């Protein structure tokens, strides 16, 4: 008996019992072994093309005068399920009164046996069936030509069939052929499908890979139109997203062992840890067996709808090769009543014992007549419980695919309903034209009883929606296909992918996202240099040239990645520079006001008693101290760097020398009041001028030596900030810099000691107390300056130095001169000689 007969058992033909009134007596079931087909006559016929057997072989090993016939092998229960879905939809439509009333749908089904040649043969038989089917014993005469064809599941056979029947405009509706090439209406004008095109799936897979940061992946594809076209779109999209494919190799289930061995070696020798598998479920079933032999675990697999939701593939993965796999699948669906329809196969037992026997033995792996062979199988009773069987046939997890077939049959029915102008009845006199039916199918738009919207775009494709599936193996070893996200191509690009990362499980049961890159990202300050002969994802990281920075890790060219660092310095435009400038100018103005008051009241006892000459010199030096802080602001140059440190050092020494001279005068004045002492003659006005000149001359000499030996100069600091250049004034000679500061500190300490000794002099207005306090502030400021200056980076160290200059200068100005100004302006009665001598009231 022809092996195709085994497929009959699953088609449930005797359950399709609803016919038009003209067929109440029943039409016969016909099968021809030489031209295997299943036929149920009706008013209108649909064609079905299924691969009930997954492979075929030659009956003889040698060719004689003509090629030997082919023999189908390996039952494919999944295709039987799809045929059942077609029959279920046909019966349901025939039982409805509002859709095609008075019209019954029949069908002719061919087994392509996984062969493109047999697919074309079946399609031509359906197209050429113009004869009337008559039965003398029954009142049944119907046209045998089909108005639409359902199938195939694979892309290559669908392309071949669509090419052949294209000129006849007979609609071909596939439930599982996803090749994007079939959307080309110039080549396949009559092809439609109820599953999204691989154009969307391939792009979705590329975005899925990009989402997880995998830029270095391997690719394995079926060596047929499905795999080759799908992988081509994936590779193109991946390149646009910055993803590199390390290798892209083909595989077919009939490949030789040598070719499979080369594939294994490619995967083992690769550095990528992610493999994108654009394979049919039949190819993956074979490949997984070979991968298991080499125990190639630890790779993260990314799959297509063809195998990612296949329980048979999961059950064959005994070595956990595909654990943690992620991929896309058609959104879940439910067709009420389909499960019960599929499971009710017992009527076959009463109609054809041979059919029932073949199916029953294949389903339960038993024999009604066990043989005496060593591989004895258990005996069939015929009463086995089908609901308790767990195999491919009873697996309803592919209800989404069955729903696609269901929607395809209903699409044809709705188009016929429109063509036949059906209302309460249909106009059966209307001559059916395939082109008219095709045009109406393209324009249908309806909802199934499950709520699914059915329509086709201009390319004959439905809306593209996918669930993102993750393989998660349970403790009992069974793989759970967990939905972890959704991809909807109809949404805006930034909202198409919605993922729940926290629920994902990766290869080897890991919770961490695998890393698959050719190179780690280059750190800031470096750029990429491509490795010769390798893709753009493989590169070496080299440092940018001095003064350049790389803020981007995605640019390949160093010319594009490395840019000049931003130069930063304390400028007048920024807030900090503006505030310090304002403080400096305010101090200068304040000093000028004090000098004006002293000039105006220079003949008063208070001004004269405080050594007006040293007071004016001190006010001049204070003004210079305020103004020298301005040289620290702005972009450093050769002159500004030399000027800022030397002017600062000389101005402050001049200032401290004047304060020291005034302090010594106070001490000498007190000592001169003692009997027999005449020390003032040793420190008169001339000696005071010479002391100021001498103290200042030492600092001038230090600064001249500094400028001669190693002067300050502008420099660029690349180390303080990674992305900026700090423009600074290098000290040149650090010894000279600290000598300048040390000399200022020495004079300030000496001045503080002298003022401290004179703090309790019995004068009515003793300026030594204010000098002591001013020196205390001065020393405190510059002692805290040292650690702050050393630890501050870039322009902030300059700001710290300016702050120290201004703070100490304000301290001297306020402590020494403001009390005098207060007396001069607010208490003029105290600005008398008697008051100065302590004799006033």
């Amino acid at each position: 008996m022809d092996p195709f007969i085994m497929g009959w058992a699953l088609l449930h033909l005797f359950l399709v019992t609803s016919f038009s009134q003209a067929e109440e007596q029943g039409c016969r079931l016909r099968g021809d072994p030489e031209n295997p087909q299943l036929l149920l006559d009706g008013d209108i016929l649909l064609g079905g093309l299924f691969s009930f057997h997954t492979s075929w072989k030659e009956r003889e090993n040698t060719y004689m005068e003509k090629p030997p016939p082919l023999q189908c092998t390996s039952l494919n229960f999944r295709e039987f399920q799809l045929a059942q879905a077609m029959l279920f939809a046909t019966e349901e439509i025939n039982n409805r009164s509002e859709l095609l009333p008075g019209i019954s749908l029949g069908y002719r089904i061919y087994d392509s046996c996984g062969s493109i040649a047999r697919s074309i043969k079946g399609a031509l038989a359906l197209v050429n069936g113009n004869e009337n089917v008559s039965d003398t014993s029954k009142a049944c005469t119907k046209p045998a030509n089909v108005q639409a064809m359902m199938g195939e599941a694979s892309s290559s056979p669908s392309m071949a069939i669509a090419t052949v029947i294209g000129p006849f405009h007979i609609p071909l509706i596939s439930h599982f052929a996803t090749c994007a090439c079939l959307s080309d209406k110039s080549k396949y004008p009559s092809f439609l499908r109820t599953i999204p095109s691989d154009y969307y799936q391939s792009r979705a897979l590329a975005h899925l890979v990009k989402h997880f940061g995998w830029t270095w992946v391997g690719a394995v594809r079926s060596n047929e139109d499905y795999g080759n076209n799908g992988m081509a779109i994936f590779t193109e999209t991946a390149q646009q997203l910055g993803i590199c494919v390390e290798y892209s190799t083909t595989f077919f289930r009939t490949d030789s062992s040598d070719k499979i061995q080369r594939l294994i070696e490619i995967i083992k020798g690769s550095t990528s840890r992610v493999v994108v598998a654009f394979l049919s479920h039949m190819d993956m079933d074979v490949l997984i067996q070979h991968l298991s032999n080499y125990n190639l675990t630890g790779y993260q697999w990314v799959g297509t709808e063809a195998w990612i939701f296949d329980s048979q593939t999961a059950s064959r993965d005994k070595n956990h090769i595909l654990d943690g796999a992620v991929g896309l699948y058609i959104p879940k669906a439910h067709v009420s009543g389909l499960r019960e329809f599929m499971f009710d196969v017992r009527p076959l037992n009463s109609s054809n014992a041979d059919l029932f026997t073949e199916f029953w033995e294949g389903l339960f792996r038993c024999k009604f007549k066990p043989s005496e062979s060593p591989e004895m199988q258990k005996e069939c009773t015929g009463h086995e419980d089908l609901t308790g069987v767990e195999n491919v046939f009873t697996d309803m997890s592919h209800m989404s695919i069955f729903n696609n077939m269901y929607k395809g049959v209903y699409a044809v029915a709705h188009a016929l309903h429109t063509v036949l102008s059906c209302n309460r009845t249909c106009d059966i006199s209307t001559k059916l034209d395939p082109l008219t039916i095709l045009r109406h199918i393209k324009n249908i738009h309806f909802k199934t009883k499950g709520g699914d919207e059915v329509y086709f775009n201009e390319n004959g494709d439905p809306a593209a929606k996918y669930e993102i599936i993750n393989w998660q193996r349970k403790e009992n070893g069974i793989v759970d296909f967990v939905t972890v996200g959704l991809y909807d191509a109809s949404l805006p690009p930034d909202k198409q992918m919605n993922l729940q990362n926290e629920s994902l499980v990766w290869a080897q049961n890991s919770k961490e996202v695998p890393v698959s890159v050719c190179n780690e990202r280059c750190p800031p300050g470096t750029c990429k240099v491509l490795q010769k002969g390798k893709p753009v994802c493989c590169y070496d990281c080299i440092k940018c040239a001095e003064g350049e920075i790389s803020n981007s890790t995605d640019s390949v060219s160093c010319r594009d990645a490395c840019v000049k660092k931003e130069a930063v310095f304390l400028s007048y435009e920024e807030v900090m520079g503006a505030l310090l400038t304002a403080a400096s100018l305010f101090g200068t103005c304040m000093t000028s006001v004090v000098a004006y008051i002293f000039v105006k009241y220079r003949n008063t006892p208070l001004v004269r008693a405080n050594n007006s000459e040293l007071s004016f010199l001190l006010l001049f030096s204070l003004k210079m101290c305020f103004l020298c802080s301005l040289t620290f602001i702005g972009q450093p140059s050769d002159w500004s760097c030399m000027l800022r440190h030397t002017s600062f050092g000389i101005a402050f020494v001049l200032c401290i020398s004047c304060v020291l001279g005034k302090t010594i005068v106070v001490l000498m004045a007190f000592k001169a009041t003692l009997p027999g002492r005449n020390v003032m003659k040793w420190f008169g006005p001339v000696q005071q001028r010479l002391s100021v000149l001498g103290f200042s001359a030492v600092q001038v000499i230090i600064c001249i030596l500094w400028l001669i030996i190693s002067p300050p100069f502008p420099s660029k600091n690349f180390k303080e900030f990674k992305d900026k250049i700090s423009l600074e004034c290098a000290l040149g000679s650090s010894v000279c810099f600290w000598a300048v500061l040390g000399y200022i500190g020495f004079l300030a300490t000496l001045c503080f000691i002298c003022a401290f000794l004179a703090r309790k002099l019995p004068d009515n207005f003793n300026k030594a107390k204010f000098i002591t306090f001013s020196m205390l502030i001065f020393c405190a400021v510059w002692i805290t300056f040292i650690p702050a200056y050393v630890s501050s980076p870039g322009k902030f160290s300059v700001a710290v130095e300016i702050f120290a200059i201004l703070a100490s200068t304000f301290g001297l100005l306020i402590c020494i001169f403001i009390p005098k100004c207060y007396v001069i302006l607010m208490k003029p009665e105290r600005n008398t000689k008697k008051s100065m001598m302590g004799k006033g009231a």
Side-chain angles (χ1 to χ4, degrees), residues 570-588 626 629-630 633-634 802 806:
L570 186 61
S571 65
Y572 295 99
E573 288 78 12
E574 60 182 298
V575 175
M576 185 166 56
L579 291 176
L580 293 174
T581 301
S584 176
L585 296 177
F586 176 75
T588 303
F626 280 121
S629 63
L630 297 177
I633 304 175
I802 296 174
L806 295 177

Side-chain angles (χ1 to χ4, degrees), residues 37 39 75 224 293 299 315 332 454 533 596 601 690 715 719 751 807 824:
Q37 57 174 296
L39 171 64
L75 281 168
E224 56 181 350
N293 294 336
Y299 291 89
S315 63
K332 294 181 178 64
V454 181
Y596 172 76
Y601 295 97
L690 291 176
S715 67
K719 298 180 180 180
C751 185
I824 293 172

Side-chain angles (χ1 to χ4, degrees), residues 70-184:
L70 302 178
Q71 179 181 8
C72 295
T73 62
S74 302
L75 281 168
N76 187 351
F77 285 115
R78 186 179 301 155
E79 292 288 323
F80 295 161
Q81 290 176 312
L82 290 168
Q84 285 285 75
M86 174 181 170
L87 304 188
F88 172 76
T90 304
E91 178 185 345
E92 192 173 79
I93 293 170
N94 289 337
N95 284 331
R96 293 179 60 174
S97 58
E98 74 280 5
L99 186 62
L100 293 177
I103 299 293
S104 65
L105 294 179
Y107 49 81
R108 299 180 72 179
I109 296 177
Y110 283 79
D111 178 19
S112 64
C113 198
S115 167
I116 295 178
R118 296 194 65 161
S119 297
I120 297 175
K121 182 180 179 181
L124 290 174
L126 292 171
V127 172
N128 294 327
N130 292 322
E131 77 282 359
N132 287 335
V133 179
S134 301
D135 184 359
T136 55
S137 63
K138 305 290 182 180
C140 183
T141 302
K142 301 297 175 185
N145 59 309
V146 300
Q147 304 303 320
M149 298 185 193
M150 313 305 298
E152 270 252 14
S154 300
S155 295
S156 292
S158 296
M159 293 171 64
I161 297 169
T163 301
V164 171
I165 68 172
F168 303 100
H169 305 293
I170 296 179
L172 173 65
I173 304 177
S174 175
H175 53 281
F176 210 51
T178 58
C179 180
C181 53
L182 287 164
S183 298
D184 187 352

Side-chain angles (χ1 to χ4, degrees), residues 288-543:
I288 197 67
Q289 296 177 8
H290 293 286
L291 295 176
S292 297
N293 294 336
Y294 291 89
N295 197 27
L296 286 181
T297 59
Y299 291 89
Q300 178 61 49
W301 290 81
V302 180
T304 60
E305 92 294 332
W307 64 268
I308 196 65
F309 205 79
D310 194 283
S311 57
Q312 183 177 358
T313 302
S315 63
R316 292 181 178 179
D317 185 19
K318 302 298 183 182
N319 289 5
H320 309 289
I321 305 295
L322 302 179
D323 281 8
V326 293
L328 305 177
Y329 194 68
I330 308 162
K332 294 181 178 64
H334 177 69
V335 181
S336 59
L338 179 58
R339 177 186 175 89
E340 294 75 15
F341 182 87
M342 288 186 176
F343 280 23
D344 189 7
V345 294
R346 292 188 182 276
L348 285 174
N349 192 20
S350 60
S351 61
N352 192 314
D354 291 335
L355 299 182
F356 179 81
T357 298
E358 295 290 342
F359 167 72
W360 209 257
E361 289 180 348
L363 185 63
F364 291 100
R365 297 182 180 180
C366 60
K367 289 288 185 180
F368 282 99
K369 296 179 180 179
S371 62
E372 300 297 331
S373 62
E375 299 179 358
M376 183 177 294
Q377 292 178 305
K378 64 179 181 179
E379 184 176 355
C380 296
T381 64
H383 300 285
E384 284 82 0
D385 185 9
L386 184 62
T387 59
V389 176
E390 291 187 5
N391 58 17
V392 178
F393 176 70
T394 59
D395 180 16
M396 294 291 110
S397 62
H398 291 277
M399 188 65 76
S400 300
I401 306 300
F402 308 153
N403 187 43
N404 285 346
M405 175 61 72
Y406 179 82
K407 290 189 291 187
V409 176
Y410 262 87
V412 176
H414 277 275
L416 290 170
H417 188 88
T418 304
V419 172
L420 296 175
S421 304
C422 296
N423 191 1
R424 291 187 177 180
T425 59
C426 296
D427 185 5
I428 59 176
S429 63
T430 302
K431 186 175 180 181
L432 296 177
D433 176 23
L435 183 59
T436 303
I437 296 175
L438 175 63
R439 185 171 63 252
H440 280 83
I441 292 178
K442 290 182 177 180
N443 294 328
I444 56 98
H445 198 143
F446 66 94
K447 282 188 176 182
T448 64
K449 63 182 180 180
D452 294 334
E453 241 181 324
V454 181
Y455 62 92
F456 302 99
N457 62 15
E458 64 278 5
N459 296 322
D461 299 328
K465 291 184 179 180
Y466 300 96
E467 288 182 352
I468 302 173
I469 304 297
N470 180 219
W471 282 31
Q472 298 182 11
R473 194 172 294 272
K474 300 178 182 178
E475 293 181 358
N476 58 5
I478 299 177
V479 173
D480 189 11
F481 303 107
V482 180
T483 300
V484 294
L486 182 68
Y487 182 88
D488 189 347
S490 64
L491 297 177
D494 58 333
K495 297 181 180 178
Q496 289 180 350
M497 185 169 294
N498 182 16
L499 261 172
Q500 303 167 1
N501 291 357
E502 63 277 1
S503 60
L504 281 161
V505 175
W506 303 103
Q508 295 181 322
N509 204 31
S510 172
K511 294 293 183 180
E512 297 292 329
V513 180
V515 177
S516 186
V517 294
C518 187
N519 289 91
E520 296 292 339
R521 289 178 175 268
C522 290
T526 62
C527 61
K528 299 178 181 178
V529 175
L530 297 181
Q531 296 178 359
K532 189 175 181 180
K534 290 190 176 181
V536 295
C537 298
C538 299
Y539 47 82
D540 295 318
C541 299
I542 64 171
K543 288 186 177 181

